Amino acid sequence: MIWYAVIAAAVGCYLFKLAGLSVPERILSDPRTRRIAALLPVGLLAALIATQTFVSADHRLTLDPRAAGLGVAVIAILLRAPFLIVVGAAVATTALLRLVL
Amino acid sequence: MARRDRHVRPRPGLEGPSGPSRALFPGARRRGTPLNTDTPGPLDAAGPAPAPAPGDEWPATRAAILRDAAGIALTSGAYAVSCGAICTAAGLTVPQTMALSLLMFTGASQFAIAGVIGSGGAPLAGAAVAVLLGGRNALYGLRLAPLLRVRGARKALAAQLVIDETTAMAVVREDERAGRLGFWATGFALFVMWGLGNLLGALGAQVLPEPEVLGMDVAAPAAFLALLAPRMRGGTPWAAAVLASGTALIATPLLPAGVPVLLAGAAVAVLALFLRRAAAPSAEESR
């Protein structure tokens, strides 16, 4: 099942890339299309962050050490830390809290 | 140094479409800023006299473009390692992780499908989220098409390389030849380093005992946050982010994992249709 998803998603992503190079400009330059394309990544990323931080394994809302890790990531981003530091700090915070609690 | 000053350094995140390079390399802007702020363009460097013929400048420009491409590829290696690690920590096999790296080759989407599968979601829901996230590459292709002017097999190859970084490295060049070189050099260098980094991360995470004890389950959301941060300029992105995360959290107890994220995407699409003001940033993106 995972293989189907991997292949389907890879094909879908490729077709989007190809479409950009192939489709006549007027179709993709429709203002509504552009507005959706500009906002959709923001919405999807925000939803992914929320569900992967505040949802437990049994699909309930929860507040656990992941939230603290995410908070540390926010601080690291505000301090303009490089990508690896952002992720590393979040992971380390969560792991430490799990060790202590 | 004088040689380096003569070419226009790309300004990832400052001029690219919605901060592409910075979107994938949050550190890139910081690294590049000191050079960017006082680096004159080619005309400034040439003084009041007209710019010299492109032929005179080309070897230096070409060397600078290749150097930038190598730099971006090396920086992406670190990002690729964490991407590969997150994929295998989420339950994908090493071949599956590498299939994503080579066939999908667009970072945020790879994180997304791994994240949804890792949190127990249906793999196809993860695939849908990944494809929707990849939709922005279509707009990059639109910008690149008149520059690259590719057909047939070259177009099929170029398409796979249409991502945040290659677009940023191509569209900031003043000269078309430089733009094309920026695209292909960055694309090939990145493709190789991205694959190597993904492989290293995937193999490394395989030997980890328990991903959750090590806090690896927060790596994906932290990575998403780093991708999201450069896009949060102005009120509209914030409205979209609040609407989407709220929708996803409310829907979570009611729907299977992965589906709330799709629902959040639909909510944001509706919001985009009703928000006239959102046209401003996207119009800027179009040129």
Side-chain angles (χ1 to χ4, degrees):
Chain A
M1 197 57 194
I2 291 183
W3 267 118
Y4 288 124
V6 164
I7 299 299
V11 169
C13 285
Y14 180 76
L15 289 180
F16 262 133
K17 294 171 174 176
L18 192 63
L21 289 181
S22 313
V23 167
E25 184 170 352
R26 64 194 149 73
I27 295 179
L28 280 180
S29 59
D30 180 87
R32 282 164 301 182
T33 314
R34 287 193 174 281
R35 261 180 276 158
I36 292 177
L39 276 190
L40 202 54
V42 172
L44 291 174
L45 290 172
L48 284 165
I49 294 167
T51 53
Q52 291 181 28
T53 307
F54 303 108
V55 176
S56 64
D58 57 350
H59 299 247
R60 286 194 208 159
L61 300 189
T62 178
L63 205 60
D64 65 16
R66 286 176 297 174
L70 196 73
V72 169
V74 171
I75 296 170
I77 287 170
L78 290 176
L79 294 174
R80 301 197 170 279
F83 179 82
L84 267 193
I85 303 288
V86 172
V87 175
V91 168
T93 304
T94 304
L96 272 178
L97 276 178
R98 286 209 177 111
L99 200 67
V100 173
L101 293 177
Chain B
M1 275 318 281
R3 208 171 183 213
R4 165 169 242 173
D5 284 348
R6 246 182 298 162
H7 76 281
V8 183
R9 259 189 97 77
R11 303 173 187 196
L14 296 180
E15 296 188 5
S18 60
S21 202
R22 174 146 159 72
L24 280 185
F25 311 116
R29 181 173 165 194
R30 187 190 191 190
R31 204 170 51 93
T33 300
L35 278 169
N36 286 339
T37 46
D38 55 4
T39 303
L43 289 176
D44 299 331
D56 302 339
E57 289 280 316
W58 181 244
T61 307
R62 187 178 55 194
I65 291 172
L66 295 178
R67 199 165 48 224
D68 285 343
I72 291 237
L74 284 176
T75 322
S76 83
Y79 181 70
V81 170
S82 47
C83 182
I86 286 170
C87 283
T88 40
L92 273 66
T93 63
V94 175
Q96 283 164 348
T97 302
M98 290 314 292
L100 286 181
S101 174
L102 303 174
L103 301 177
M104 186 178 272
F105 189 57
T106 175
S109 296
Q110 291 172 234
F111 272 113
I113 189 170
V116 170
I117 291 173
S119 59
L124 283 178
V129 176
V131 172
L132 284 178
L133 262 176
R136 69 190 190 291
N137 291 327
L139 289 188
Y140 296 162
L142 201 60
R143 294 178 57 139
L144 289 169
L147 175 74
L148 296 177
R149 294 198 302 262
V150 280
R151 283 175 197 286
R154 279 171 74 88
K155 182 157 126 184
L157 182 64
Q160 181 66 335
L161 303 178
V162 173
I163 51 168
D164 296 320
E165 293 83 355
T166 49
T167 308
M169 291 288 283
V171 299
V172 295
R173 308 286 175 186
E174 306 211 329
D175 173 48
E176 280 207 350
R177 182 162 62 151
R180 278 194 290 272
L181 179 66
F183 174 83
W184 289 107
T186 309
F188 283 127
L190 202 54
F191 191 82
V192 171
M193 285 307 292
W194 184 252
L196 288 175
N198 277 170
L199 183 62
L200 194 67
L203 293 174
Q206 251 197 342
V207 301
L208 296 181
E210 290 242 7
E212 300 210 340
V213 175
L214 297 169
M216 279 301 287
D217 50 342
V218 84
F224 289 134
L225 199 66
L227 294 177
L228 182 62
R231 295 174 182 271
M232 301 306 286
R233 292 195 204 109
T236 313
W238 282 99
V242 169
L243 173 70
S245 48
T247 306
L249 288 181
I250 290 170
T252 286
L254 312 170
L255 296 169
V259 181
V261 177
L262 291 174
L263 192 67
V268 167
V270 173
L271 174 80
L273 287 179
F274 281 96
L275 268 180
R276 292 261 175 269
R277 293 213 152 241
S282 50
E284 192 181 288
E285 191 173 347
S286 70
R287 286 288 170 270

